Amino acid sequence: MVAYMTLGYPNVNDFYEFVDNVEDFGVDILEIGIPPKYAKYDGPVIRKTYKIVSNNIRNYYEILHEVKERIKIPVVILTYLEEYVDKLGDFLLKLKESRVDGVLLPDLLIDYVDEYEKYVNLIKNEGIKTVLFTAPLMPDDLIIKASKLTDLFLYYGVRPTTGVVIPISIDSLINRIRTMVQSKLIVGFGLNSIEDIKKAMSVGADGIAVGTSLIEEVDKNGVNGALELIRKLRGVLDEYY
Amino acid sequence: MVNSFDIIPKYWYNIIPDLPKPLPPPRDPQDAEFSRIDLLRKILPKEVLRQEFTIERFVKIPDEVRDRYINIGRPTPLIRARRLEEYLKTPARIYFKYEGATPTGSHKINTAIPQAYFAANEGVSHVTTETGAGQWGTAVALAASMYDLESTIFMVRVSYEHKPMRRTIMELYGAKVHASPTDLTEFGRKILKENSRHPGSLGIAMSEAIEYALENNYRYLVGSVLDVVILHQSIIGMESINQLEAIGEEPDTIIGCVGGGSNFGGFTYPFIGTKKGKKYIAVGSSEVPKFSKGKYEYDFPDSAGLLPLVKMITLGKDFIPPPIYSGGLRYHGVAPTLSLLVKEKVIEWREYTEEEIYNSAKIFMKTQGIIPAPESAHAIKAAIDEALEAKKTDDKKVILVNVSGHGLLDLSNYESMKNRVMKK
Ligand SMILES: Cc1ncc(COP(=O)(O)O)c(C=O)c1O
C-alpha cells in the first residue's frame, strides 16, 4: 500500500506524527507531494493542500531530511517535471542529499514523452529511483516500455485527475494493463471506495495508492482519522495477499 | 431496399488505444476556484462520462440505441457520385456517405440518441443544450422526444430571430426553445442587465444550458469535440466499412469537414484504426484558419470556460470568426484526438474560402442533385480537388467523402453567399 501526503500538511507537527505512524498502520511506501506552481493533473483537494503548504513552509528539503530520519520504508517524491525542467540537476542533488528513495513525475510521459528516456537516465544516474506514471490514455507500447524502466512499481492513474471520482470501468482498465506488464502495479487516482479497491485487486493490481481520501480524513478527523483509514484499507488489501 | 440490420455495426470504435502518442488528459486551469472536471460529474449522464474515459477499442452499442438508429433510417446511403466523376472527367471513383438523409438533416443525431438514452436510463427527466444555427438543437430535440424526455434548448438570439424555421422544427419535436441570453439563468440575467438586446453567442448559450442543468439537476448533452461524441459518430465510419465491403471496394483517400471534429473523427477513425485507406484529409474553413494559424495547446472547449481544459489545435476560445457564411465550422478548436493525429501527420488538412466552397457546392448540386450543408461543401471541395489531381496522373483511386448534412435549412446562407460571391 502506497500512502500519499502533501509535505508538511496540515502543519509540520501533525505531518511528522503521520509519518511516524504510517508504517505501523500498514503502509509500504510513503509518497510525499512537493507543491508545484501548477498541479496540472491533481484534483481540488490536493491542489488546496499545495496552496496551504507553499504559503507556510520555506525549506522543503529540511523536512524531507527529517522524514528519512524518522522512517525506514521507502519515500517517493511526487512533483511535476514542468516545475524543475530548467533546474533538474540542482533539484536531483537536493533530493539525493535528503536521502529520499525515488521520484514520481506524473507529467513525464505525457508532456515530455518525446524525451522521457533522457530524464529517466538523468534521475537514475543520481542514484534516485524513478517511479513511472502511466494512465489509460497512453498507447499500449509506451506502457510496456515504461514498465520495463520503472523502479519499485509502475503507477497507474486510472482517472484523469486525483480525487475526482469520474465513473470508469476499473476492471477493464486494469485487465488491459495487467496482461501487458510484468512489473509491480500500483493503482491510484480517485480510488476511494472499498468496492473499487476490491475490484482493482481482484483483477491483478499489486496494490493501491491513496491520497485525496487521507487528506479529507486529516481535515475532518485529524491525523488519527487518516491513520485509521489506512488501517481499514490495509485490511481490505490483506484479503488479497 | 429495407433498412439492413446487417450493415449497422454492433460496436462503436474508439481510437484512444491506437493513437501513436498518449492523449494529454483534460485538466483544470491553474488557480481554478472550482474543478471543471468535477463539474462534468454533475452535468453529464454517468454512462456518457464513463465512455468519455474508456480505453476499450470497441464499445457495444446498446440494442435499444441500435434500434433507434434503424428507426431514423440508418444505414445512411453510400452513393457513388457517378455524375460528378463524369463532370470532372476523372478516372477516380468518388463515393459519398450521406448523413443528410437522417430526419434532422445531419450526423448530429448519431450522438444525440445515445446521450439521451443514457440520460433516460438514469432516470433523468429533462435534458438541456445550446444551439447556434440549429443542427445540434434539432438533433437533441428529436432524441429527447424518442425517450420521453423534456428538452430545453438555448438558441443564440440572432439565430433564433433569423432562423425561425429551425425553431419551429425543434418545437414540433416538443422542445422548449429560448432565445439566449435568457432570464432563466443567473449568467443570462447578468448579460441582459448589461445589454437587454444582446445578440447572444454560442459561449453564452452553452453556459446557460450548463447552469440550467446544474440548477435543476437535469443533464446536459454535448454536441462535438469530446471523445465520447466521436465514439458515437464512429457509426458513420463503421457503417461505411461494411457498405464498401459489400461492393468489394477499398478506399484510398478519405475526406471530411471539421467543426469540432466529430463527423470527421467518426467517419475516418474506424478506417485509420483498421489501416484501411492511405490518405486522410480534414477540411476547415479559411475564414476560421485553425489548422494553418492555430496553436497546439491547452484551451477551453467552450467560450465561457466552464468545461475542463483540453489540449488541442486552437485559435483561442475567444476567437470571433468574420461575419461571413455561418455554420458549424466556426468553432475555435479541433478535437484533442484529431489534433494529435494532425500533429503526428497521420491526417492532412486543407482550408478553403467561402467562394471556393460555394462553387464546389454548385457543382455537387448540378451533378448529384443534393444541396449540401455549407460545412459539408468543404469536404466536397477537397474531394473534387483530389479527383482532378488523379486525372493528371490517370490514377484510378477511390475517394470517399462524408457529406455530413444537407443544406435545405441553410438556404439563407446560400442566398447571402451567392450575393457575396457574385459581387466579386
Ligand atoms: C452539417 C454539419 N457538418 C459538420 C459540422 C461540424 O461539426 P463537427 O466537426 O463536430 O462534425 C456541423 C456542425 O454544426 C454541421 O451542422
Side-chain angles (χ1 to χ4, degrees):
Chain A
M1 173 171 182
V2 178
Y4 169 88
M5 187 51 65
T6 300
L7 180 115
Y9 188 79
N11 55 60
V12 179
N13 282 342
D14 285 357
F15 175 71
Y16 285 146
E17 193 190 328
F18 180 77
V19 169
D20 287 339
N21 288 291
V22 281
E23 187 172 2
D24 288 346
F25 280 77
V27 169
D28 303 296
I29 296 176
L30 179 62
E31 195 187 332
I32 297 181
I34 299 187
K37 280 197 204 73
Y38 183 8
K40 292 181 277 188
Y41 306 125
D42 277 299
V45 174
I46 290 185
R47 283 210 306 261
K48 192 200 71 197
T49 66
Y50 285 157
K51 208 168 202 167
I52 291 173
V53 167
S54 57
N55 282 337
N56 293 343
I57 297 176
R58 298 270 134 221
N59 191 338
Y60 297 148
Y61 303 102
E62 217 168 77
I63 297 178
L64 283 182
H65 200 90
E66 178 68 22
V67 167
K68 279 302 291 183
E69 295 288 317
R70 287 172 182 247
I71 52 168
K72 292 190 204 64
I73 54 172
V75 172
V76 174
I77 296 306
L78 182 139
T79 193
Y80 288 84
L81 179 58
E82 183 177 61
E83 185 83 10
Y84 297 97
V85 69
D86 298 328
K87 43 183 173 179
L88 194 62
D90 191 38
F91 175 62
L92 292 174
L93 199 68
K94 284 193 180 129
L95 289 187
K96 196 171 148 181
E97 281 167 9
S98 30
R99 297 189 296 120
V100 302
D101 302 85
V103 61
L104 190 164
L105 306 163
D107 54 347
L108 180 63
L109 294 195
I110 298 170
D111 300 309
Y112 299 90
V113 66
D114 290 329
E115 35 182 16
Y116 72 94
E117 283 165 289
K118 179 184 102 188
Y119 291 112
V120 168
N121 285 331
L122 279 175
I123 297 167
K124 292 193 183 197
N125 286 344
E126 283 296 337
I128 298 168
K129 295 193 164 80
T130 319
V131 177
L132 288 176
F133 173 85
T134 52
L137 295 182
M138 289 184 189
D140 294 1
D141 50 351
L142 182 66
I143 294 181
I144 293 168
K145 234 172 142 184
S147 75
K148 292 179 180 148
L149 286 176
T150 198
D151 299 313
L152 295 171
F153 58 87
L154 184 69
Y155 194 119
Y156 189 50
V158 287
R159 291 193 169 83
T161 185
T162 52
V164 178
V165 192
I166 296 278
I168 52 168
S169 321
I170 296 238
D171 6 9
S172 72
L173 292 180
I174 296 175
N175 255 327
R176 166 193 180 220
I177 185 168
R178 188 69 279 177
T179 59
M180 297 192 299
V181 310
Q182 263 92 56
S183 55
K184 268 210 183 337
L185 186 63
I186 299 289
V187 180
F189 271 47
L191 269 196
N192 69 355
S193 81
I194 302 284
E195 193 196 331
D196 271 4
I197 293 170
K198 286 186 167 172
K199 256 193 205 153
M201 296 303 288
S202 63
V203 292
D206 293 305
I208 56 157
V210 278
T212 300
S213 42
L214 294 183
I215 288 163
E216 283 168 344
E217 269 304 316
V218 167
D219 290 349
K220 253 188 270 155
N221 303 313
V223 168
N224 284 336
L227 291 169
E228 281 310 323
L229 179 60
I230 288 173
R231 195 203 299 278
K232 183 170 130 201
L233 297 179
R234 179 80 229 183
V236 177
L237 294 187
D238 282 340
E239 290 169 30
Y240 294 89
Y241 291 127
Chain B
M1 188 189 78
V2 170
N3 298 356
S4 167
F5 282 79
D6 305 335
I7 296 277
I8 298 180
K10 297 194 170 67
Y11 292 87
W12 288 303
Y13 169 72
N14 176 20
I15 200 161
I16 305 280
D18 294 323
L19 288 174
K21 286 232 173 117
L23 185 69
R27 64 194 199 193
D28 281 320
Q30 193 167 1
D31 303 321
E33 326 79 67
F34 66 93
S35 170
R36 273 95 179 149
I37 295 177
D38 210 6
L39 188 71
L40 290 180
R41 285 196 294 167
K42 303 196 182 95
I43 56 177
L44 301 185
K46 253 203 198 77
E47 183 60 19
V48 172
L49 196 50
R50 198 187 66 76
Q51 292 187 348
E52 171 69 13
F53 292 107
T54 189
I55 44 95
E56 288 168 287
R57 198 168 265 115
F58 294 99
V59 175
K60 190 174 184 307
I61 303 175
D63 292 339
E64 294 84 347
V65 169
R66 207 163 158 262
D67 202 58
R68 291 292 195 272
Y69 278 159
I70 290 163
N71 196 49
I72 57 159
R74 299 210 74 88
T76 55
L78 182 81
I79 299 172
R80 179 157 172 198
R82 244 180 228 282
R83 290 257 299 124
L84 178 60
E85 291 169 20
E86 284 163 16
Y87 174 89
L88 300 172
K89 300 194 177 57
T90 177
R93 294 194 291 286
I94 305 172
Y95 291 89
F96 68 96
K97 178 75 168 160
Y98 188 42
E99 289 299 299
T102 55
T104 55
S106 83
H107 65 291
K108 304 273 179 192
I109 191 73
N110 298 332
T111 186
I113 289 176
Q115 290 189 52
Y117 168 73
F118 293 135
N121 247 10
E122 279 164 36
V124 171
S125 63
H126 197 130
V127 294
T128 72
T129 201
E130 75 288 335
T131 197
Q135 289 275 21
W136 171 237
T138 312
V140 169
L142 174 56
S145 83
M146 284 179 170
Y147 295 103
D148 291 324
L149 294 167
E150 291 181 59
S151 60
T152 299
I153 319 271
F154 292 84
M155 187 173 188
V156 176
R157 167 160 284 137
V158 273
S159 305
Y160 184 91
E161 282 162 5
H162 291 149
K163 300 221 158 173
M165 292 305 163
R166 284 270 196 207
R167 194 176 89 214
T168 306
I169 297 175
M170 287 186 260
E171 285 170 353
L172 284 172
Y173 285 138
K176 285 193 200 67
V177 186
H178 301 287
S180 163
T182 70
D183 58 8
L184 294 171
T185 68
E186 211 177 291
F187 191 68
R189 286 191 292 273
K190 188 177 140 234
I191 304 277
L192 286 176
K193 211 169 151 194
E194 286 158 16
N195 174 3
S196 63
R197 291 295 309 153
H198 195 292
S201 75
L202 208 54
I204 294 171
M206 200 181 258
S207 315
E208 286 208 279
I210 292 173
E211 187 190 322
Y212 197 67
L214 268 174
E215 205 54 34
N216 296 293
N217 200 21
Y218 300 155
R219 288 296 175 276
Y220 169 75
L221 306 193
V222 193
S224 189
V225 190
L226 295 194
D227 296 327
V228 61
V229 178
I230 300 184
L231 176 78
H232 297 157
Q233 292 296 355
S234 72
I235 183 88
I236 310 172
M238 299 286 277
E239 231 175 64
S240 305
I241 287 177
N242 292 346
Q243 287 169 314
L244 285 172
E245 257 166 22
I247 53 167
E249 279 282 30
E250 276 266 351
D252 294 296
T253 301
I254 305 170
I255 305 170
C257 68
V258 177
S262 74
N263 87 86
F264 179 86
F267 184 50
T268 58
Y269 289 0
F271 288 96
I272 296 175
T274 50
K275 304 206 161 37
K276 291 185 171 69
K278 302 185 182 102
K279 187 159 143 186
Y280 314 95
I281 307 174
V283 189
S285 129
S286 297
E287 288 84 11
V288 186
K290 45 195 179 186
F291 290 115
S292 55
K293 304 259 165 60
K295 292 205 181 81
Y296 186 46
E297 60 189 18
Y298 272 95
D299 190 17
F300 288 109
D302 59 311
S303 338
L306 285 174
L307 295 173
L309 291 163
V310 292
K311 193 165 184 186
M312 60 180 177
I313 295 173
T314 175
L315 289 163
K317 71 173 173 54
D318 299 322
F319 174 81
I320 297 167
I324 50 143
Y325 76 91
S326 69
L329 303 196
R330 292 181 141 200
Y331 186 67
H332 64 276
V334 177
T337 50
L338 178 49
S339 297
L340 188 110
L341 289 164
V342 167
K343 277 281 151 202
E344 293 297 311
K345 301 203 163 36
V346 175
I347 293 169
E348 296 178 24
W349 57 265
R350 308 267 190 280
E351 283 169 356
Y352 298 117
T353 62
E354 176 177 68
E355 186 171 351
E356 288 173 310
I357 68 111
Y358 178 74
N359 291 327
S360 300
K362 286 283 292 283
I363 294 173
F364 196 70
M365 290 175 205
K366 181 184 163 85
T367 54
Q368 298 300 135
I370 289 171
I371 297 180
E375 296 88 354
S376 314
H378 287 73
I380 291 168
K381 162 71 178 154
I384 290 176
D385 283 1
E386 287 292 307
L388 292 175
E389 220 20 69
K391 187 160 138 184
K392 286 188 199 150
T393 53
D394 195 31
D395 187 347
K396 297 188 175 53
K397 69 175 176 180
V398 174
I399 298 169
L400 186 62
V401 56
N402 190 32
V403 176
S404 53
H406 68 60
L408 293 175
L409 295 164
D410 301 294
L411 295 180
S412 55
N413 298 6
Y414 273 110
E415 193 68 28
S416 66
M417 260 197 268
K418 189 171 102 193
N419 292 337
R420 277 192 295 269
V421 172
M422 295 298 215
K423 256 195 231 143
K424 286 198 178 171

